[in-house]
Amino acid sequence: MRKIKRSGSFEMTLVINDENFINPPKQAQRNAVVNRAVKEFTADLSALNEQTKRFVPGETVNTVNDRTQKVLTEQEIMEDWQIPVMEVMAKVITERGGDILEIGFGRGVSADMIQKHPIDSHTIIECNDAVVNDFHQWKNKYPNSNIEIVHSLWQDTIEDLGQFDGIFFHTYPLNEDEYMQYVNGSITFAQHFFAHAAAHLKPGGSFTYFSNEIDSVSREHQRELLSHFSSFSVQIVPLDMPEDVKDTWWADTIAVIKAVK
Ligand SMILES: C[S@@+](CC[C@H](N)C(=O)[O-])C[C@H]1O[C@@H](n2cnc3c(N)ncnc32)[C@H](O)[C@@H]1O
């Protein structure tokens, strides 16, 4: 089977050599399914053409040296352009109050935002010693709140923590191996955490993260979500991106996901 799609700017040719690949009972069904896939892909290219016109150039650093225990500046932990994203995620995750688990304390920006909402408890997992020291200072601001830190990698401790009403996930790859596995090898960075989030949510509880996607989430991403959660919603958050952003993001919007168990 051969499909060609032409626009003024590109030409796409799809050749399916294996006659058993996409092989429903009728040829017309095969045509319909493949046509739809081609149409979707070419529509995506046109959308990306428009979106990339607004990209900032950025100053992306391509290697990730191990930063598990590195003492980082505030902007190295999280650049300020992400603050509106934290606001949306904190709101989403505290909607039904209860017990909140936050993975990655960082600068404590999202932790402050979570504390503004009425919740019963706030458990934070953080692996970096210097960040944990900052947490102890930060916690003094909230003497009457039920806040607990778990000083470790989430991979080593989450099994012991029970069930939550909301899980806020915001880490980054700690080294090159994590970068290759979780960023290059996944549809979205948080994918490696989906099964753990689902296992540690109470029924009806929700999990939030952001995905490096511009105006929607991909079908592959949606399929992964629906294999672990009963439903999800997506918010597109507008961003004020600095021209010299260091992070691997250049668009003026980003997708925040809320997945419900
Ligand atoms: C981008 S920062 C979080 C920023 C935070 N949301 C804020 O508003 O300030 C990511 C944090 O996750 C921590 N982290 C990364 N991987 C981790 C892991 N596997 N287990 C626990 N903490 C991790 C890092 O040490 C860092 O403090």
Side-chain angles (χ1 to χ4, degrees):
M1 175 183 261
R2 189 181 191 88
K3 298 277 174 195
I4 300 177
K5 192 95 181 169
R6 290 192 181 89
S7 88
S9 305
F10 65 88
E11 177 177 311
M12 204 207 84
T13 306
L14 171 71
V15 181
I16 302 182
N17 294 321
D18 178 354
E19 61 190 33
N20 292 314
F21 185 78
I22 308 184
N23 189 18
K26 290 187 173 155
Q27 183 62 28
Q29 294 168 327
R30 189 179 199 222
N31 256 325
V33 168
V34 175
N35 281 344
R36 188 193 160 90
V38 167
K39 188 163 183 285
E40 192 167 42
F41 180 66
T42 52
D44 252 357
L45 289 180
S46 297
L48 286 169
N49 177 46
E50 291 306 316
Q51 291 160 358
T52 49
K53 288 176 186 164
R54 300 194 304 275
F55 271 18
V56 294
E59 285 185 9
T60 304
V61 180
N62 285 320
T63 51
V64 181
N65 295 322
D66 196 298
R67 51 181 167 175
T68 313
Q69 293 304 343
K70 199 161 177 224
V71 178
L72 300 166
T73 65
E74 285 202 334
Q75 296 304 311
E76 285 172 328
I77 294 173
M78 178 181 79
E79 291 180 283
D80 284 348
W81 65 265
Q82 291 189 20
I83 291 174
V85 184
M86 298 299 105
E87 190 96 54
V88 172
M89 288 168 59
K91 184 166 184 293
V92 155
I93 211 61
T94 52
E95 268 161 9
R96 73 172 203 172
D99 301 312
I100 305 299
L101 174 65
E102 181 176 13
I103 319 279
F105 179 73
R107 296 166 53 182
V109 172
S110 49
D112 270 327
M113 292 167 174
I114 289 171
Q115 282 298 314
K116 291 201 176 88
H117 297 276
I119 59 172
D120 297 335
S121 72
H122 186 174
T123 305
I124 300 166
I125 311 181
E126 173 55 57
C127 62
N128 183 290
D129 298 350
V131 172
V132 170
N133 280 341
D134 293 344
F135 161 84
H136 289 296
Q137 293 296 314
W138 171 88
K139 189 175 182 279
N140 292 331
K141 291 198 278 184
Y142 303 100
N144 301 319
S145 296
N146 182 1
I147 307 173
E148 191 196 334
I149 187 105
V150 179
H151 186 170
S152 78
L153 293 169
W154 66 260
Q155 290 89 335
D156 294 339
T157 41
I158 195 165
E159 290 314 316
D160 307 326
L161 295 181
Q163 306 263 301
F164 296 86
D165 296 281
I167 301 181
F168 184 113
F169 182 79
H170 187 201
T171 68
Y172 44 50
L174 292 172
N175 49 46
E176 193 72 29
D177 279 353
E178 286 200 357
Y179 185 85
M180 292 314 288
Q181 199 183 335
Y182 302 154
V183 179
N184 276 7
S186 302
I187 187 62
T188 187
F189 173 69
Q191 186 181 343
H192 66 284
F193 188 70
F194 283 7
H196 303 277
H200 292 278
L201 280 177
K202 299 177 193 171
S206 50
F207 162 52
T208 193
Y209 59 95
F210 66 84
S211 178
N212 282 9
E213 289 170 276
I214 301 171
D215 69 343
S216 53
V217 298
S218 75
R219 276 183 179 277
E220 190 184 350
H221 187 166
Q222 294 186 49
R223 287 191 191 104
E224 268 303 311
L225 277 168
L226 293 170
S227 71
H228 291 97
F229 303 96
S230 65
S231 65
F232 65 87
S233 55
V234 182
Q235 276 189 61
I236 302 302
V237 180
L239 302 172
D240 191 6
M241 294 302 292
E243 291 286 314
D244 63 346
V245 57
K246 311 285 183 299
D247 215 328
T248 45
W249 193 246
W250 312 284
D252 57 2
T253 58
I254 204 162
V256 168
I257 290 92
K258 172 190 179 182
V260 179
K261 184 165 173 179

